[in-house]
Amino acid sequence: MRPQRHGGCLYFFLVSILLLLVVCFVTAVVAEGVEVMAAAEEAQLLPRPLVIELPSAAAEGERELPAEVRCASWRLAAEANNLAPWNVVPEECAGYVREYVNGVSYRSDLEVVAREASTYARAARGGDDGRDAWVFDVDETLLSNLPYYAEHGYGLEFFDHLEFDKWVEKGEAPAIPSSLKLYNEVRELGIKTFLLTGRSEGHHGVTVDNLKKQGFHDWDKLILRAAADRKKTATTYKSEKRKDMEAEGYRIIGNSGDQWSDLLGFSTSARSFKLPNPMYYIP
């Protein structure tokens, strides 16, 4: 009987070793997974290399593409959020961007987005309890800052917060006509309208006056960036404000903005609408 007892002890010893190895293996796999996730998150943090080089057929030994074609490709990549964060419009494309935002193409692009959003809004109402909500950005979504950018290279210059604040304080930003029409249609449908802007709370008064002067009235809430939000990226700041809306019981059925940071993150809307803006990028 004694040899059997030794055999049983050896069996349990080997099983214990095996279990210990399994635990170590699982722990290592989990740790590696955490490291991979952390690396992935870190890869999304700024700054990343700026991608402002334009496609060039000549680099591949082919005929050089016309500048307007190269710049159109750059704008498409910027609008589709396929470029890494960029600070300025490529110098070669300054004229192209100027012509675009002052021409019929920009106006047509804005109108297409507004019409699609309007069609969706009429079909997407979730109920009659007054809890459906639509989030609107302000700059380059409801109000246009083209007069300011006309004096600053249409995105060719590095952004100057002090100069832009001086422009905001004038309260002269015109309405984007197609956005004003959409805004009024959303209001008429009984959908709550929340205006969520990256402007600072110090510009509350002038922003209200500017919006009203341009025909925007009766919004349900205007949210500006508080001092506690200043160091947050726009994506984080706007996500947190949308989360607050949801916590108050609202259903965010629509969201309109000219930046991907207006639309991405968490507590996103049931459907989002990206307005064109090739002049600047806000993370």
Side-chain angles (χ1 to χ4, degrees):
M1 298 298 295
R2 185 174 298 175
Q4 291 179 357
R5 185 184 304 170
H6 287 169
C9 291
L10 179 61
Y11 171 78
F12 285 113
F13 174 74
L14 292 175
V15 169
S16 299
I17 293 296
L18 180 60
L19 289 174
L20 180 62
L21 290 174
V22 170
V23 170
C24 291
F25 175 76
V26 171
T27 302
V29 169
V30 171
E32 183 179 358
V34 171
E35 291 178 359
V36 170
M37 292 177 63
E41 292 179 355
E42 184 177 357
Q44 298 301 317
L45 299 179
L46 302 180
R48 289 185 285 174
L50 299 181
V51 178
I52 58 175
E53 295 182 358
L54 304 181
S56 175
E60 301 176 3
E62 302 176 4
R63 181 175 62 84
E64 181 68 26
L65 295 171
E68 60 270 21
V69 173
R70 286 152 51 83
C71 291
S73 296
W74 179 86
R75 183 177 72 84
L76 175 62
E79 296 288 9
N81 203 29
N82 287 333
L83 299 183
W86 49 277
N87 285 334
V88 294
V89 170
E91 185 173 359
E92 180 183 354
C93 297
Y96 169 86
V97 172
R98 180 184 66 248
E99 294 300 318
Y100 169 73
V101 296
N102 285 298
V104 295
S105 294
Y106 178 53
R107 184 169 68 250
S108 177
D109 289 347
L110 289 168
E111 290 173 351
V112 167
V113 175
R115 286 199 303 269
E116 186 67 21
S118 176
T119 300
Y120 164 76
R122 289 194 296 270
R125 290 193 57 196
D128 296 322
D129 57 359
R131 311 308 287 178
D132 290 338
W134 197 290
V135 178
F136 287 95
D137 174 49
V138 173
D139 293 301
E140 269 60 68
T141 299
L142 297 181
L143 299 177
S144 171
N145 296 301
L146 278 181
Y148 169 82
Y149 284 101
E151 298 181 359
H152 295 274
Y154 295 99
L156 185 62
E157 298 179 9
F158 285 97
F159 184 72
D160 187 323
H161 285 279
L162 295 178
E163 287 298 313
F164 185 72
D165 285 349
K166 292 178 183 177
W167 157 253
V168 169
E169 289 158 8
K170 292 180 179 180
E172 298 177 355
I176 294 176
S178 55
S179 293
L180 177 57
K181 181 180 179 182
L182 171 64
Y183 174 87
N184 287 328
E185 290 174 345
V186 168
R187 293 283 316 162
E188 291 169 1
L189 289 169
I191 301 172
K192 302 294 184 184
T193 48
F194 294 155
L195 278 52
L196 177 55
T197 174
R199 293 186 178 193
S200 67
E201 286 187 333
H203 289 142
H204 181 274
V206 69
T207 299
V208 168
D209 291 343
N210 195 164
L211 285 164
K212 289 183 175 180
K213 184 170 65 175
Q214 294 300 321
F216 297 97
H217 300 284
D218 303 321
W219 55 80
D220 294 279
K221 187 178 293 187
L222 171 61
I223 305 170
L224 299 97
R225 191 185 285 259
D229 299 317
R230 288 176 184 169
K231 294 184 179 181
K232 299 174 183 176
T233 65
T235 303
T236 298
Y237 156 65
K238 295 200 170 186
S239 293
E240 290 176 350
K241 297 306 177 184
R242 292 194 301 268
K243 184 178 181 180
D244 291 342
M245 296 173 197
E246 290 182 335
E248 294 172 5
Y250 291 102
R251 295 181 295 272
I252 305 175
I253 65 171
N255 187 4
S256 296
D258 67 291
Q259 298 290 312
W260 284 99
S261 53
D262 298 328
L263 313 174
L264 300 179
F266 51 88
S267 294
T268 56
S269 63
R271 186 170 175 187
S272 298
F273 296 88
K274 170 71 168 64
L275 282 69
N277 181 2
M279 296 184 295
Y280 58 86
Y281 175 93
I282 298 176

